[in-house]
DNA sequence: ACTAGCGGGACGCCCCGTTCCT
DNA sequence: AGGAACGGGGCGTCCCGCTAGT
């Protein structure tokens, strides 16, 4: 048994995120997490004071990173954001299709379940969503300045709509468990993105 | 307290739907439902063989009806569907804004939670979603024939995208608990709808 | 398995009182009580909402009755209370001696442990103590009127002192686990009682 | 924070005694003791092999000293023991009244809880009680020799009765949490003491 | 035929005293 | 001496049968 501190903590967070992704936060059983992570209850409660705080750390340290890696960092350069967003969606969709069941967006799933019940989750997931939305707004603004995106758009609204559309598509795919709904959704997202481009 | 059999069953379903809407299916406690409905456990299990089957009946008899009332039936006439959808969304958003917390779409919430875990929920919620999507597809087709909607669109894709956008907007509002996100989303939905109209 | 309601409840209370008598309230394990009573957790929590409320019912329904049977009811007639108290103490001491460990007074044990921590226990045990003390005060008053007990005594103080002495003796015997301390204590109690008698 | 080894040990014992006084031995949490003492778990188990042995040391090194200071040493001179005991009781009662909740006698509390369960506590607390009782017996004997205390008394019985009365009064006060019960008890104790004096 | 509610038992999270590696 | 890891047990909750009675 490893006694490496950071390892145990990290393993718990990653196994926990997967459990929550699969069963929801309330449905996630600590016992299952512990078995899967090969960690005992004592170790868990040494690192985290409660299941709820553990959930907060999952948002802050695991889910936030996943969102940043998929939706924020690819837009940091000056590549065409409209194309980048579409490509990243398709890359993500390909990942989702690869395993059953289709699980959708870990951030949205968790937020849907817990935000109306618990403010701690609400403020943490909201920070991640805002980071995402602002990164879209910023990238679209820079592209607008370069003459790629049409002028005269409220980019805050546009960024919100894109995030909404992406989350909506992933929701419907999770609901239907049909891979083709990801493909249909990708086409719809591209249409929305292209409608923003200067002709 | 009514002794009418159908009444008891109906009351259970409606109280149950509200409980599930508030706490999720796994988080919904039978005891709370029974207390609120003024029904005993014996009566419950006389009407429904298990909590899971009870959940199925909630989808089939309560949630399906709510979706039909809000999104399907308003499109059955020959009014402009683009306007009708926008108006119905705004009417629904006004209802959501009225109470805290903002709870979003009962169908999507339940499907998000249960569909990856249980096929019984998946097939039932999927039928409701398909009914919704097909009603959009049909109404848009009729409007296209009347020259209201642009030709050359894949209406199946468009209907899917509209449902996705609506569910995405409601998700984000549930997540953020900010009423203004409903307003922002309504503007975004109108923009999407108007982009379908012949110029 | 019996499904007699009153039986199950009564058995739980009696087994629970014994457990608390042996291990204290905090040290009493519900699982041990359940095993010994042959009752499952579901049944327990059907009858009592929590361990704490269960403890309250033990005080009200079991301990109060034991105190009344030993210290209150024997004084209800017009026999000489000084002799009656001494005799009842000796009868009780004989019972305590019969089993190891020597456990002392169930009321005092529980009150000692819980009263500073929980007002619910405090008010309930206090009511039992007050009933006891007042019954002594009343019986001594009637005996005073008959010329058995010396005049000029504050009978409230005297009753308090007798209860204190009894509880003190039982405490010391529980502490030492020496049966002879009950005998020594009985002699001391008789001396105190006789000092109240008219010469 | 002192790095002195004896200091750490002493601080643990004193904080531990207070914790046990407040919550009982079984209810005393090591984590709370450690936090309050500013000591780590490693250090604790370096000084004491287990919680139980720690409890034994609390009895031997802290509680025994408190009892000696209040009840034994004041009687070592040749002052009137009847008066001295009454005065010391009143001094102690004044201390108890000062803080809420009223906590009673640390020795008796601990003995009540643990003696029937664990012989290690029994023998150690019993030694303290015996020391107390013998000091009363000795002081009363010397006072008897000086003609202050009535002849013809079994001083072993009397000493036992006095300790019992004191512990009984403190028990009742802890149970009721009423400061006036200390005052009533003090009057009762004085009456018992004066009944021992030569007229 | 239907209601009433007791009883069953598995599992949930959390906390505890203790061990052992550093 | 420091602190991560250990694992068993605590109470409470849950969904669900099943017996009795109306």
């Amino acid at each position: 048994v490893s006694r490496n501190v950071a390892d145990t903590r990290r393993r718990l967070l990653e196994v926990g995120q997967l459990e929550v992704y699969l069963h929801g936060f309330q449905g996630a059983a600590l016992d299952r997490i512990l078995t899967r992570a090969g960690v005992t209850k004592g170790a868990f409660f040494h690192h985290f004071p409660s299941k709820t705080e553990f959930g907060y750390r999952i948002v802050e340290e695991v889910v936030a990173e996943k969102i940043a890696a998929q939706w924020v960092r690819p837009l940091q350069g000056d590549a065409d954001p409209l194309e980048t967003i579409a490509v990243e969606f398709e890359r993500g969709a390909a990942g989702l299709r690869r395993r059953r069941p289709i699980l959708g967006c870990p951030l949205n799933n968790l937020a849907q379940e817990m935000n109306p019940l618990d403010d701690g989750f609400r403020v943490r997931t909201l920070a991640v969503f805002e980071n995402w939305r602002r990164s879209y707004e910023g990238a679209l603004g820079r592209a607008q300045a370069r003459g790629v995106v049409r002028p005269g758009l409220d980019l805050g609204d546009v960024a919100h709509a894109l995030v909404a559309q992406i989350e909506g598509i992933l929701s419907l795919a999770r609901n239907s468990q049909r891979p083709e709904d990801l493909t249909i959704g990708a086409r719809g997202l591209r249409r929305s993105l292209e409608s923003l481009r200067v002709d």
Side-chain angles (χ1 to χ4, degrees), chain A:
Chain A
V1 183
S2 161
R3 286 187 78 86
N4 184 312
V5 181
D7 256 30
T8 299
R9 190 189 140 88
R10 188 70 203 163
R11 202 162 58 248
L12 282 170
L13 285 169
E14 270 164 15
V15 171
Q17 193 269 326
L18 182 59
E19 264 287 306
V20 169
Y21 195 23
L22 289 168
H23 299 96
F25 181 74
Q26 300 182 88
L30 278 193
D31 284 345
R32 250 188 335 247
I33 294 173
L34 297 175
T35 302
R36 225 176 287 258
V39 163
T40 63
K41 236 161 235 184
F44 179 90
F45 283 99
H46 174 72
H47 288 287
F48 306 98
S50 70
K51 188 193 180 188
T52 300
E53 289 288 335
F54 179 56
Y56 295 167
R57 297 297 93 75
I58 288 176
V59 175
E60 293 169 352
E61 303 182 28
V62 185
V63 174
E65 169 54 28
K66 282 186 194 295
I67 297 300
Q70 183 168 16
W71 304 114
V72 176
R73 280 205 289 276
L75 292 179
Q76 278 172 351
D78 274 338
D80 173 5
L82 303 178
E83 181 62 20
T84 302
I85 291 171
V87 165
E88 289 298 325
F89 180 88
E90 282 146 15
R91 189 200 308 283
L96 287 175
R97 252 191 287 265
R98 222 168 281 133
R99 82 178 62 184
R100 286 317 191 74
I102 294 172
L103 289 169
C105 173
L107 174 63
N108 195 43
N109 295 351
L110 186 48
Q112 285 284 317
E113 177 188 2
M114 297 307 297
N115 284 16
L117 304 178
D118 183 306
D119 257 11
F121 279 103
R122 195 176 62 76
V123 300
R124 286 168 179 84
T125 55
L126 203 47
V128 181
F129 272 115
E130 281 300 292
N131 185 38
W132 179 1
R133 197 192 54 70
R134 275 197 308 270
S135 98
Y136 275 20
E137 194 175 342
L140 293 171
R142 294 193 302 276
Q144 209 175 34
R146 295 198 307 274
V148 173
V149 164
R150 283 166 40 201
L153 293 168
D154 180 326
L155 295 183
D157 276 23
V158 169
H160 181 274
L162 288 173
V163 173
Q165 189 169 3
I166 289 171
E167 291 296 11
I169 293 163
L170 296 176
S171 277
L172 293 190
R174 173 176 164 106
N175 294 347
S176 71
Q177 295 292 320
R178 293 186 305 213
E180 63 265 34
D181 281 352
L182 290 169
T183 311
I184 297 172
R187 288 200 300 267
L189 179 63
R190 263 199 191 274
R191 236 193 25 234
S192 295
L193 290 163
E194 291 308 320
S195 78
L196 303 173
R197 191 183 298 281
V198 288
D199 306 316

